[in-house]
Amino acid sequence: MSIRQKVEVRGGAAVAVAAVLALALAGCGSTEKPKDSARPPASQSQGSASQKSAPAADGSAAPVEVIATTQGPSGIVLEINSAERDQDGYLTVNGRIKNTGSAAFGNTVPWRGDEKTASPASVAGATVVDNAGKKRYYVLRDTEGRCACTTGIVMIKAGESVPFFAQFPAPPTTTTDVVFGLPTFAAMPIKISG
């Protein structure tokens, strides 16, 4: 599935969820309160943006899975939430970069790797290594040289969590374990799904 198809699918899912919520709210009278079971638990509703959960298929909040974590400089933590191979031959890695420190973090330039112009303030320096196949995979590029990855990460405030993605050519289907790397972070093993 390409990036564009994923956006369309997610957009369609958002429209469907919005329609269901609108119908549910329309059924409530002005004196009627929503059932307590429809409200998220206090621990979820009071969490920061980095702690929010994605809705599950049944409408309840599902926790975001963390498949790998590594430390970076100045209290920066890199968390991988998924590494999915699709039928089009791509591997998409999704995660979050969290600033657990007490000051804003702005040393994001190394994350772009050798990138200078097409994808500034990006995670274009990310790589995936297939040790079994002895291959290193770099972030994909479009025809104008822009990376198939998150861009615009200039500053991360203290306590802030920034989502990111990076898309690579997928290793062979026989490869399920790879090592994800991003400059300034320790490389970490991750498992591919799909």
Side-chain angles (χ1 to χ4, degrees):
M1 181 178 293
S2 70
I3 295 171
R4 178 171 284 147
Q5 289 170 325
K6 285 183 181 182
V7 170
E8 289 172 1
V9 168
R10 288 182 183 149
V15 170
V17 169
V20 169
L21 287 174
L23 288 172
L25 291 174
C28 294
S30 59
T31 59
E32 204 173 317
K33 293 182 180 178
K35 295 179 182 176
D36 285 339
S37 63
R39 294 182 190 157
S43 61
Q44 290 176 359
S45 62
Q46 294 174 355
S48 67
S50 64
Q51 298 171 338
K52 288 186 180 175
S53 300
D58 65 358
S60 65
V64 175
E65 183 180 9
V66 177
I67 63 172
T69 303
T70 188
Q71 296 287 326
S74 306
I76 298 297
V77 175
L78 175 66
E79 171 182 292
I80 303 296
N81 302 119
S82 66
E84 297 179 354
R85 179 189 285 115
D86 64 30
Q87 72 273 12
D88 296 325
Y90 302 116
L91 171 66
T92 303
V93 177
N94 290 288
R96 302 191 77 75
I97 301 172
K98 299 179 179 183
N99 184 352
T100 63
S102 58
F105 181 82
N107 188 24
T108 64
V109 172
W111 300 345
R112 72 181 186 193
D114 293 336
E115 180 61 60
K116 301 285 187 274
T117 56
S119 305
S122 68
V123 293
T127 59
V128 169
V129 176
D130 172 6
N131 286 326
K134 297 184 167 84
K135 286 191 177 180
R136 179 184 306 266
Y137 297 90
Y138 296 92
V139 174
L140 291 169
R141 304 285 175 158
D142 67 14
T143 55
E144 295 176 8
R146 292 181 298 236
C147 72
C149 68
T150 299
T151 61
I153 305 174
V154 177
M155 182 76 63
I156 304 175
K157 298 175 188 169
E160 186 177 21
S161 177
V162 178
F164 81 91
F165 83 96
Q167 193 169 53
F168 306 88
T173 54
T174 54
T175 300
T176 57
D177 297 292
V178 293
V179 177
F180 179 84
L182 184 64
T184 75
F185 293 95
M188 58 184 148
I190 59 174
K191 190 166 283 296
I192 298 175
S193 62

